[in-house]
Amino acid sequence: MKKLSVAQARLPESVDQEILLQGWIRTRRDSKGGFSFLELNDGSSLGNIQIVAPGTLPNYESDIKRLTAGCSVSVEGLVKASPGKGQATEVEARSVTVHGWADPDAFPIQKKGASFEFLRTVAHLRPRTNTFGAMARVRNCVCRSIHDFFQEEGFLYVHTPIITASDCEGAGAMFKVTTLNLRNPPLPEEGPDKPGWDVDFSKDFFQRPAYLTVSGQLEGETYACGLGKCYTFGPTFRAENSNTARHLAEFWMVEPEAAFFELIDNMDLAERFLKRIFRDVLARCPEDMEFFRERIDKTVIDTLEHVLESNFIRLPYTDAVEILKASGRQFEFPVEWGHDLQAEHERYLTEEHFKSPVILFDYPRAIKPFYMRLNDDGCTVRAMDVLVPKVGEIIGGSQREERLDVLEMRMKEQNLSPESYWWYLDLRRFGTVPHSGFGLGVERVLLFITGMANIRDVIPYPRTPGSAEF
Ligand code: 4AD
Ligand code: MG
């Protein structure tokens, strides 16, 4: 007997096959005619398959009539064309074997319409809901597209380290990695001899301060400046205390980096890349996307289709400030050249003014990291942020500063010591090249695709301030 997934068994071509299905019961309905309808789901698709369990089965009274949401079963039976609406097939059961019961008084997620806040408290069981099943499949589709896109474009997949000594974004929002006894740390005998060495890190595992990476970019650059085009894709960590619906302390970022690449090439790559992801999700996850459209946000499919047909707006930061100032809007944070744009400003540009994704570029040097290439005007850098409606920034990137003296000057300006970035500066000492790259936050792009409101609901186990239960 062939085991099929529920997704396979739902296809018309499965009719007349004797099959095995294994999954979890969503609902049971008993018919007056002495048989029961079971809705079975195994995660292979949003839709369930209907099992018709005849009353003649030997365990009908003892098992089948006790089935409730969450019970796990194996079903052997025959696939038939279904007379029911909205389903091509159903399965007439020859046997139903129960693997595990789920006490309906105790099983937390059987009620329809449980709030997302509540489901976060049972994050280990929420994969059994429609929303989190759909999310897991769309997330998988996005990750597959990420690899397909870069592989087809000739980018090499590089694994950059998760434990690192350097703060790529220079923002100091890093988690420390240590094996020191925090109750009794070794202290330097004559006070800290190096900045940040408040304890004697020579006694620590790495014999120096070490952190969880905020970005794989710096190491990515070392591979691009030797192998041409590469990308890294992994978890990144930020210890900033931002309790918003768009920030996680642990999130996944894909970061392409390419040598002989200028900002304009970087923008073209980012736009092609995002469109590829959107196109693949619409083509490969139609049922899940229809679910998000129906239940979460009526506009998601139209928005993606519209983005696929349009060109992203490309706008210098300075022009954006002009537009915002001329808007006549009362923003909570006033707009002023030299200040970072706030979510409300980004949303005004993408949702109201342009109604389209916007690539902002050439930001003031003071608000962007040290590694971005300084423009000839001396006051802006070759930064680019891709902003989208509702979510705001989903990509941040730049052309990199390839001139050694300018880079050293920028590091000092931001109170970073060039000595501790000696290996990064070596790229500028030996065969330096213009190069560029960016980082896409996977959870931010999932917010945009699905219309979900909170970033805690697009990653299996969200890490946020005060929250790492599971
Ligand atoms: O703009 P960011 O900080 O850029 C970098 O880290 C660069 N080193 C990337 C590069 O050029 N290789 O972060 C890039 C993206 C953001 O646009 C956003 O989508 C996401 O990462 N991101 C976050 N996502 C969730 N939670 C957070 N706390 C995030 N911080 C950044
Ligand atoms: Mg950014």
Side-chain angles (χ1 to χ4, degrees), residues 435-447:
H435 62 288
S436 302
F438 62 78
L440 169 73
V442 169
E443 290 75 21
R444 296 269 179 96
V445 83
L446 281 168
L447 284 176

Side-chain angles (χ1 to χ4, degrees), residues 168-169 214-218 221 232 236-238 240 242 246-257 266 368-369 371-372 384-386 391 393-398 400 436-445 455:
C168 172
E169 295 305 289
V214 297
S215 159
Q217 176 195 325
L218 302 187
E221 281 185 54
T232 176
T236 46
F237 308 86
R238 304 221 174 158
E240 55 198 330
S242 15
R246 291 180 178 71
H247 288 88
L248 290 166
E250 175 181 298
F251 62 97
W252 284 69
M253 182 154 58
V254 53
E255 297 178 273
E257 190 72 35
N266 214 27
K368 288 292 183 187
Y371 54 72
M372 297 189 175
M384 59 172 240
D385 279 3
V386 181
V391 180
E393 180 194 335
I394 61 172
I395 283 182
S398 72
R400 318 306 188 190
S436 302
F438 62 78
L440 169 73
V442 169
E443 290 75 21
R444 296 269 179 96
V445 83
I455 200 163

